[in-house]
Amino acid sequence: MNFITIDKKDWAPGVDQSRNTYRVYGPVEDENGCQIKPLAPDMQPKMDAPVTVMSAKSVLFPQTEKILTATLDESKEDHHVMKPVETDDMPRVVLGIRPYDAKAVHLVKLNFDNPDYKDPYWCAAYDATTFVGLGVTRPGPCDFSTAVGSGPFSEEGLDVLMADMDDKYLAKILTEKGEKWAAACGFDTAADPKESQVLFDVLRKEAEKQIQADVATDKLAQKTILDLYDAPFWDEVAFSCINCGTCTYVCPTCWCFDIQDETRHNTAVRFRNWDTCMSSLFTHHASGHNPRGTKVQRVRQRFMHKLKYFLDKYDQGIMCVGCGRCVASCPVNIDIREVCNRMNDYETTK
């Protein structure tokens, strides 16, 4: 681990130089707000952007992804045999990712890359990606990252963590991937490690003071699944929900998807598309049965998965990094912080 400084007048030339090695992603402003997107050759990341509307999860898990293909031409020996498409392993770097979004990648990795299953598409993209984070010095009003194991200067999931020091960036190189990215940019001005760490600690503490996160998760592990499942507050929590799915799409840790096959002439293609557990179609069986046919069932599933099932299965905290996007985006003001506290404080009367 080492520290370097990057003069801001050298930032854009360095990013441009890295394009010889990396496909570059970063925050950009468009008609829908600030988004993490691949940067065209003439574009630079908007490093001073506020929290992006969507996280960086689509870099590894695209909203629509071709995964299998087959020929329907019966003159071919391998007709109607689904074959994997070539995985995209081109090196890429995500600039300006916020620390809680990098933590989210770590949580999602538990699902896509574990001893029981390795998703070839997600794993290939993950291995090819370098995450260069920027510490959050002015957390937004919905940020509760410190309450759920992350924070404005958390390093988990990052290859480089940078701090904005007005006319320069102070960068902490955390991994070998981070070293390679810095070398590709030509960023090699060493900084004093002790002084730099002190600066990082000061910035972290100042940022954490600004977060007013009244969220408790300490009792969730002790609760039984059935007690929380049968708790009397789910009707009230779900009352105003319109099942629009906004919370799931903006969430950096949601990974629900469905599979869709499409054919055109003699070619069949299987796509993986983002989906949402808030839609009744997501669990609608071909038989007509739907195990989560009502709104209350779907709302309960979302919160039970994020705040209880995930915790029990992986023992690595809840499936939330406190970015606050779902709180800010919900059209009917459902607040995961309130639901989490209700679940944490719930005591059965049995």
Side-chain angles (χ1 to χ4, degrees), residues 101-112:
D101 283 341
K103 161 86 174 183
V105 173
H106 170 74
L107 297 183
V108 173
K109 188 172 189 287
L110 296 172
N111 181 64
F112 285 112

Side-chain angles (χ1 to χ4, degrees), residues 55-314:
S55 73
K57 72 176 176 181
S58 63
V59 177
L60 309 183
F61 177 36
Q63 292 186 27
T64 295
E65 184 174 25
K66 185 190 296 185
I67 55 175
L68 297 171
T69 186
T71 178
L72 307 181
D73 183 351
E74 297 190 1
S75 68
K76 305 284 179 62
E77 276 191 20
D78 60 350
H79 67 87
H80 290 82
V81 177
M82 283 288 191
K83 297 180 178 178
V85 300
E86 190 172 341
T87 54
D88 180 6
D89 56 2
M90 179 180 177
R92 68 202 75 172
V93 60
V94 182
L95 302 176
I97 184 174
R98 297 305 189 251
Y100 43 64
D101 283 341
K103 161 86 174 183
V105 173
H106 170 74
L107 297 183
V108 173
K109 188 172 189 287
L110 296 172
N111 181 64
F112 285 112
D113 183 7
N114 58 62
D116 297 323
Y117 175 71
K118 292 187 183 301
D119 184 282
Y121 310 99
W122 192 95
C123 290
Y126 176 81
D127 291 342
T129 304
T130 300
F131 294 102
V132 178
L134 181 65
V136 180
T137 54
R138 292 189 295 275
C142 296
D143 186 329
F144 60 103
S145 55
T146 52
V148 291
S150 183
F153 278 80
S154 171
E155 299 174 2
E156 191 170 5
L158 286 172
D159 298 298
V160 178
L161 175 60
M162 302 198 308
D164 191 331
M165 310 297 289
D166 295 329
D167 60 344
K168 65 184 178 185
Y169 293 115
L170 180 60
K172 186 176 186 178
I173 309 296
L174 299 166
T175 68
E176 186 178 347
K177 278 184 175 180
E179 290 179 2
K180 290 180 178 177
W181 169 77
C185 296
F187 298 146
D188 57 4
T189 304
D192 182 88
K194 288 186 178 178
E195 290 181 6
S196 300
Q197 186 59 56
V198 169
L199 282 171
F200 264 84
D201 289 343
V202 169
L203 290 171
R204 175 180 57 77
K205 290 175 182 175
E206 288 299 316
E208 288 179 353
K209 283 181 189 174
Q210 300 174 51
I211 297 176
Q212 304 297 317
D214 184 19
V215 181
T217 63
D218 57 307
K219 300 177 186 173
L220 287 170
Q222 304 163 18
K223 312 291 181 187
T224 69
I225 285 176
L226 286 180
D227 281 347
L228 288 175
Y229 185 91
D230 290 331
F233 49 71
W234 292 116
D235 282 335
E236 186 179 345
V237 171
F239 175 75
S240 61
C241 179
I242 56 175
N243 283 158
C244 64
T246 298
C247 51
T248 61
Y249 293 125
V250 300
C251 177
T253 67
C254 279
W255 59 60
C256 288
F257 62 85
D258 70 359
I259 297 297
Q260 185 170 349
D261 289 345
E262 296 185 5
T263 60
R264 182 177 175 82
H265 304 304
N266 277 334
T267 301
V269 177
R270 176 162 295 174
F271 292 94
R272 175 164 67 183
N273 304 308
W274 286 9
D275 205 337
T276 171
C277 60
M278 303 307 290
S279 165
S280 63
L281 289 177
F282 183 64
T283 48
H284 198 129
H285 296 185
S287 65
H289 173 63
N290 193 335
R292 294 200 291 270
T294 68
K295 177 173 71 172
V296 172
Q297 291 171 323
R298 295 191 288 275
V299 170
R300 177 174 56 193
Q301 164 63 22
R302 169 171 164 74
F303 290 115
M304 286 291 286
H305 184 205
K306 302 190 85 63
L307 306 177
K308 182 57 180 172
Y309 302 150
F310 183 90
L311 173 68
D312 286 0
K313 181 174 182 179
Y314 295 110

Side-chain angles (χ1 to χ4, degrees), residues 311-332:
L311 173 68
D312 286 0
K313 181 174 182 179
Y314 295 110
D315 192 23
Q316 295 200 32
I318 62 174
M319 187 181 156
C320 173
V321 293
C323 67
R325 288 185 178 92
C326 62
V327 179
S329 301
C330 180
V332 294

